[in-house]
Amino acid sequence: QLQASGGGLVQPGGSLRLSCAASGYALNYYAIGWFRQAPGKEREGVSCISSGLGTYYSDSVKDRFTISRDNAKNTVYLQMNNLKPEDTAVYYCAATWMIKRGPGVLPPSRVDEYDNWGQGTEVTVSS
């Protein structure tokens, strides 16, 4: 199971750190992705990290968000800085087994490439 946490209400320009903790299996050989879904919109990829620490960021969050993983804690993090109202959404983490692994291998980034989803954590950016 994946457990996402860390959401909340923050003012524009503020920061939050989301955590995605796994239980029941080790994340070492999995890619982990963060996705978000705003009301009335489709779920979209935000940031993903491969087992080899390759990363993906959507254009809308590049240079503001940072994804990282701590395999010893079986947890992946999403540091979100300079938050904007358009970042408001429910954020989900998801995992997928990586067949091709190695340093710098890029993670999958599409919603349909992930098959193990956690519950969401809500992020609201508002003054």
Side-chain angles (χ1 to χ4, degrees):
Q1 286 186 338
L2 296 175
Q3 180 82 26
S5 61
L9 173 63
V10 63
Q11 292 186 342
S15 298
L16 284 174
R17 189 176 81 155
L18 304 184
S19 298
C20 177
S23 60
Y25 65 101
L27 292 180
N28 303 51
Y29 299 128
Y30 287 80
I32 306 298
W34 284 100
F35 300 83
R36 66 187 181 188
Q37 188 165 18
K41 294 189 176 181
E42 291 188 354
R43 193 170 297 188
E44 63 175 358
V46 175
S47 181
C48 307
I49 187 167
S50 72
S51 57
L53 303 182
T55 57
Y56 159 83
Y57 295 95
S58 68
D59 288 343
S60 62
V61 307
K62 206 169 289 184
D63 299 325
R64 298 189 298 123
F65 291 10
T66 303
I67 193 169
S68 62
R69 64 192 301 158
D70 185 339
N71 288 340
K73 294 183 178 179
N74 221 25
T75 301
V76 172
Y77 304 98
L78 185 67
Q79 178 67 43
M80 306 187 296
N81 297 329
N82 190 21
L83 282 160
K84 304 176 180 181
E86 51 264 42
D87 294 318
T88 295
V90 178
Y91 284 70
Y92 300 88
C93 63
T96 190
W97 177 262
M98 289 204 67
I99 297 173
K100 183 177 180 182
R101 300 191 290 265
V105 171
L106 294 179
S109 60
R110 296 199 318 261
V111 171
D112 62 1
E113 293 179 297
Y114 286 77
D115 49 19
N116 187 359
W117 290 81
Q119 93 299 346
T121 185
E122 190 165 4
V123 172
T124 303
V125 185
S126 174
S127 55

